[in-house]
Amino acid sequence: MNAYPLRETRMRSVPVLFSALRKRTTIDHGLGIFMFLSVLLVFSWGSRSLGFYSDDVAFLQGSYSIPQMVEKAFSYVPGRNLHIVWQQLVFFICGGSEPRALGNIHFLQAIVDAMNVVLVFGVLRTASIPRLWSVLLSFVFAFFPNHMETHFWISSLPMNLVSTMFFLAFLLLSMKIISAGNMVKNNAAFRVLLGIQFVLFFCALFTYEQMFFLIFSICILQFALLRVNTPRGTLIIAAVPYSFVAAGYVFLKMNVSAMAVVTGPSIQFSFHTVRTNLFVALNNMFQPFTEANARLFRADFWADPKHVLAACTILAASVVLSIVMMLLQKNDGPVPSERSKNTVLRFVFIAALGACICILAYLPNLFWSIAPRHNYLPSLGITIILASIAALIHHAARSVGHIAYYAAQYGLTVILSLLMSYFFIQTYTHKNEWIEAYQLKKNLYTDIASHYDLAHIDFLALHNFPRVHKNVPLFDYENGDAIRYFTGRDILPLGFETCSLDTKTGHYAFISEWKHGISGIRYFEKGKVLKLIFAGYKDRYHFSYFPLTDAAASYNFYADNYYAVSETGTGPRDSSARNTRLHAGSFSTVNTLPVLHISIDTTGCISNKGEQLGILLCESHDKGASFRVFSAPVPFRTNDINVYSLIDRTAIVPISLPHRDSGAVTTYSIILKKVLPADAYKVSLYRFSTAPPVLLDERIYSNKN
């Protein structure tokens, strides 16, 4: 009698299991694994040198319990509610959100990136695209260079990558259901698949609003194609939840402000905005190809040995892959006998589907703005278009004969391999830029924590540090949270230091929060402020800067760089302006520089010893509307001066004025250095002392002739 019948049964079942898996395993499965590992290797290599960018750190500081996560999700930007859920799941998988976990988070981001590439391969194969073109164009999608932030920006992981993953799974399942018409006869299985589809649809839609038009269009197309083989009642029942979700979603997006929830992109319409964003979208679509065409045939591009090595490696691998494909399955794709109109129409329909994906994926963003991450999903449409074109050429060549077939095979392989080489080189280059940007920021924060006694410091002012580094976000509106995230010390406000005004007794900081304009002016006593002035780059990973710890030092960064004040004369007081401090002003030009002449009634402005007058000068775009300064495009904080004119013409300048208590109106001439002429300026007159600053008067001066 066998004492171990269960063990023997299990041992016999192992070969049976492997045999079953081997029978079900196809070449496509092997290629999928190959692509997954290849893309994972590319994006995970050096991932531990990547970090946080833009508003990442605001999320990294938040680790919630399940009830808190649910509450945060409901109060988050409508239409992006599940972003919070995926974010917390990422932190859980990666062992937290502390600085030590950043490498794990970026590795997980590389995994999701690779999964999306495999799903794209599955979509192309389901659409009958030959294997070779499916593989090559899936790699083209992986390294498409117009959405690099989706690969390296942590916030893009739960926002763009995860939402696209759900959409690709939804699209793949939809194609499977449509292509397997007989399957719908089994109502139970059909309903289960529709239920899974709805879950994927819901997860994709409520992760990112870019899905709205696209995913509903796929739903409509699917139900339209299924109506022949599916009972009408089943389709109606299946369509009900989609209809409710569509109505609820539109209601949420159109009532963001009315519902008093966190603001975010909502459904708005402006012909000017849509037209501008449409041209941006078209440029983003075609720019990678036009740049590739321009740079691949330039000698200086191939002068770099790394470029040559990468291109040769990818080209050789692609040619070998092409040979292997033809040997493994000679009849891949439509056979010559299928030279019918239906085969051509099928690939034309696939190309049209790709065009619709590209357009509909951009459509929501045309209402507000287009950023690099918004190019990720449209690049799927471009990939499908290219795949259908390659399939059409492949099919036509096979129909002509062997010579044409091999010529088309290797010709397309070389062209797509060169394109993939360029995209890969761009990805590798951009990745190094993202690494440099984070290491610069990380090393600066580390230097601050290790070289300065922060025990008595209440405020850190970063003057003129570049906002971007080689097109990668560097110092943006996360500065206050970043130093706290690294050091655990709360020495920055929620926002950042926009500009400053120094007095003998202390330091005034004009604080500006992202998207909310100037939030206030804070006073800090002498010795409580650490000011770091950007001087340049020491090396690839370090800044060159000098500190200014004395708040009352004579050095005035803004006066030296951006303005000069000269007293030009005094005049009698105007009795009609008895209750105002700012009188009529005028503009002139000195050596091509705009000069603003302002008459200020300084009588009684200073009431205590040590007090000082100062003005805040801002450009006004519309003097008839309520004035608002957006801090994001303001160069007078951490932005690179050299890109000032490329960002915006909005300026915030603190100006220290000498005090004249002579009973007369004093006229000051303010020479605006490095400031582009504006149609109008808003001038705010403040009295500064150890107490909170007092706003004495505000006025908008027009510069129109």
Side-chain angles (χ1 to χ4, degrees):
M1 185 176 178
N2 191 346
Y4 306 102
L6 184 60
R7 181 182 298 175
E8 289 189 2
T9 302
R10 288 177 177 173
M11 291 177 66
R12 286 196 300 270
S13 66
V14 172
V16 174
L17 177 62
F18 276 105
S19 177
L21 288 174
R22 186 177 60 188
K23 290 179 181 179
R24 290 180 174 272
T25 302
T26 65
I27 298 174
D28 286 350
H29 293 127
L31 289 172
I33 295 172
F34 166 73
M35 285 187 294
F36 177 84
L37 294 176
S38 301
V39 176
L40 178 62
L41 178 64
V42 171
F43 286 116
S44 63
W45 192 275
S47 60
R48 295 200 171 275
S49 298
L50 293 165
F52 59 82
Y53 310 88
S54 295
D55 54 354
D56 278 342
V57 72
F59 294 113
L60 289 168
Q61 291 186 115
S63 185
Y64 312 124
S65 63
I66 293 180
Q68 290 174 326
M69 179 186 69
V70 173
E71 180 184 355
K72 291 285 185 180
F74 274 108
S75 62
Y76 195 55
V77 177
R80 297 187 186 180
N81 308 84
L82 291 178
H83 178 114
I84 300 296
V85 177
W86 313 135
Q87 191 179 70
Q88 294 301 306
L89 182 60
V90 166
F91 295 159
F92 176 78
I93 294 173
C94 298
S97 59
E98 296 78 17
R100 59 178 175 78
L102 290 176
N104 297 336
I105 295 174
H106 281 286
F107 184 79
L108 180 61
Q109 190 161 2
I111 291 176
V112 180
D113 236 326
M115 288 173 59
N116 284 350
V117 174
V118 175
L119 287 171
V120 170
F121 174 72
V123 168
L124 296 180
R125 290 297 294 146
T126 305
S128 302
I129 303 298
R131 283 196 180 93
L132 179 59
W133 316 130
S134 296
V135 172
L136 292 179
L137 285 162
S138 294
F139 279 126
V140 168
F141 170 79
F143 306 131
F144 217 83
N146 65 357
H147 50 73
M148 286 299 165
E149 65 184 19
T150 61
H151 307 307
F152 312 121
W153 184 32
I154 291 176
S155 292
S156 274
L157 170 56
M159 182 166 49
N160 302 99
L161 294 183
V162 170
S163 63
T164 301
M165 179 183 68
F166 284 122
F167 170 75
L168 287 169
F170 173 88
L171 177 61
L172 187 58
L173 186 56
S174 180
M175 296 173 70
K176 292 285 188 182
I177 291 174
I178 293 171
S179 61
N182 294 330
M183 182 177 60
V184 301
K185 294 179 179 179
N186 184 341
N187 273 343
F190 180 62
R191 287 170 182 168
V192 169
L193 288 176
L194 285 179
I196 295 173
Q197 258 199 314
F198 181 75
V199 172
L200 294 171
F201 157 85
F202 189 87
C203 291
L205 180 63
F206 280 93
T207 300
Y208 203 49
E209 60 267 4
Q210 195 176 6
M211 300 290 163
F212 179 80
F213 293 101
L214 178 57
I215 203 165
F216 273 109
S217 298
I218 298 296
C219 289
I220 293 171
L221 178 63
Q222 174 182 317
F223 286 130
L225 294 175
L226 287 176
R227 73 182 190 280
V228 177
N229 297 323
T230 309
R232 184 176 298 177
T234 302
L235 288 180
I236 292 175
I237 294 173
V240 168
Y242 290 95
S243 302
F244 274 108
V245 170
Y249 188 89
V250 172
F251 175 79
L252 285 175
K253 299 303 289 182
M254 293 185 70
N255 292 274
V256 172
S257 300
M259 298 179 67
V261 294
V262 177
T263 58
S266 57
I267 296 177
Q268 303 172 13
F269 188 80
S270 164
F271 282 110
H272 174 73
T273 301
V274 172
R275 184 174 63 252
T276 302
N277 288 332
L278 179 60
F279 284 113
V280 172
L282 291 173
N283 179 68
N284 291 348
M285 267 192 274
F286 297 111
Q287 188 176 17
F289 301 102
T290 56
E291 283 189 353
N293 179 63
R295 298 187 68 183
L296 283 173
F297 298 100
R298 269 174 32 192
D300 60 337
F301 183 77
W302 298 110
D304 190 336
K306 293 181 180 179
H307 294 176
V308 176
L309 178 61
C312 290
T313 302
I314 292 174
L315 182 61
S318 300
V319 172
V320 172
L321 182 63
S322 177
I323 296 172
V324 171
M325 290 289 187
M326 287 188 292
L327 292 176
L328 287 176
Q329 191 161 341
K330 296 181 180 179
N331 295 324
D332 184 31
V335 296
S337 60
E338 292 182 3
R339 197 179 172 184
S340 64
K341 190 186 299 183
N342 291 337
T343 303
V344 176
L345 287 177
R346 183 169 74 236
F347 288 130
V348 170
F349 174 79
I350 293 169
L353 177 64
C356 290
I357 289 175
C358 191
I359 295 169
L360 293 172
Y362 272 126
L363 188 56
N365 301 94
L366 298 183
F367 294 135
W368 79 88
S369 66
I370 293 180
R373 62 185 175 276
H374 301 139
N375 299 322
Y376 183 62
L377 195 56
S379 66
L380 168 65
I382 297 173
T383 301
I384 293 175
I385 294 172
L386 293 176
S388 61
I389 294 173
L392 279 169
I393 296 173
H394 178 101
H395 172 62
R398 294 196 67 182
S399 302
V400 172
H402 290 292
I403 296 177
Y405 170 68
Y406 288 119
Q409 186 90 348
Y410 288 110
L412 280 173
T413 299
V414 170
I415 293 172
L416 291 178
S417 298
L418 284 173
L419 183 66
M420 184 168 54
S421 301
Y422 173 73
F423 285 0
F424 173 80
I425 291 168
Q426 289 291 90
T427 300
Y428 177 80
T429 303
H430 282 295
K431 186 174 188 177
N432 284 331
E433 292 173 356
W434 284 75
I435 289 174
E436 288 177 14
Y438 175 66
Q439 294 300 322
L440 280 166
K441 184 161 50 179
K442 176 185 175 183
N443 289 335
L444 176 64
Y445 292 141
T446 303
D447 288 346
I448 292 171
S450 58
H451 290 89
Y452 300 100
D453 182 11
L454 302 180
H456 304 292
I457 298 297
D458 292 330
F459 192 83
L460 172 67
L462 302 178
H463 276 268
N464 206 41
F465 278 79
R467 184 185 180 189
V468 296
H469 176 72
K470 299 179 180 178
N471 300 313
V472 179
L474 192 56
F475 293 102
D476 214 332
Y477 47 86
E478 89 286 358
N479 294 348
D481 290 328
I483 193 70
R484 187 186 306 110
Y485 178 68
F486 266 123
T487 66
R489 286 271 299 147
D490 187 10
I491 62 172
L492 279 177
L494 293 176
F496 44 80
E497 194 264 1
T498 299
C499 44
S500 61
L501 183 65
D502 301 326
T503 69
K504 294 181 179 180
T505 57
H507 176 91
Y508 285 92
F510 297 79
I511 312 302
S512 185
E513 294 180 359
W514 181 60
K515 288 187 177 180
H516 298 294
I518 299 173
S519 62
I521 303 176
R522 294 182 59 180
Y523 172 77
F524 299 93
E525 294 180 359
K526 183 177 178 180
K528 296 291 186 179
V529 174
L530 171 62
K531 298 172 68 174
L532 302 181
I533 314 298
F534 174 74
Y537 292 95
K538 185 184 298 183
D539 53 45
R540 183 183 177 191
Y541 289 150
H542 296 85
F543 287 112
S544 176
Y545 63 89
F546 58 92
L548 187 68
T549 55
D550 185 357
S554 59
Y555 178 80
N556 191 323
F557 172 81
Y558 294 97
D560 291 345
N561 290 277
Y562 292 105
Y563 73 88
V565 179
S566 61
E567 183 181 338
T568 60
T570 60
R573 299 182 63 198
D574 186 352
S575 59
S576 64
R578 190 179 300 277
N579 297 322
T580 63
R581 303 295 184 182
L582 297 173
H583 291 208
S586 62
F587 283 87
S588 65
T589 302
V590 177
N591 296 327
T592 70
L593 294 175
V595 179
L596 173 60
H597 307 278
I598 305 178
S599 297
I600 304 177
D601 186 351
T602 59
T603 305
C605 288
I606 299 299
S607 55
N608 298 309
K609 185 179 179 180
E611 292 180 339
Q612 180 173 321
L613 290 181
I615 66 171
L616 188 63
L617 177 66
C618 309
E619 179 185 341
S620 176
H621 292 286
D622 185 0
K623 66 176 182 177
S626 58
F627 186 80
R628 190 178 183 190
V629 176
F630 290 91
S631 61
V634 175
F636 295 95
R637 63 179 205 281
T638 59
N639 292 5
D640 191 340
I641 301 172
N642 296 327
V643 297
Y644 168 60
S645 59
L646 300 177
I647 298 172
D648 200 293
R649 295 191 304 141
T650 303
I652 301 180
V653 183
I655 301 176
S656 178
L657 298 176
H659 175 54
R660 297 273 305 200
D661 197 1
S662 61
V665 173
T666 307
T667 301
Y668 300 102
S669 295
I670 304 172
I671 303 173
L672 306 177
K673 305 176 181 178
K674 298 182 181 179
V675 177
L676 296 178
D679 291 336
Y681 288 95
K682 179 179 179 180
V683 175
S684 302
L685 177 65
Y686 283 92
R687 179 175 66 233
F688 297 99
S689 65
T690 56
V694 177
L695 177 62
L696 301 176
D697 197 4
E698 285 185 328
R699 186 163 181 166
I700 294 178
Y701 295 94
S702 176
N703 190 24
K704 294 181 179 179
N705 295 325

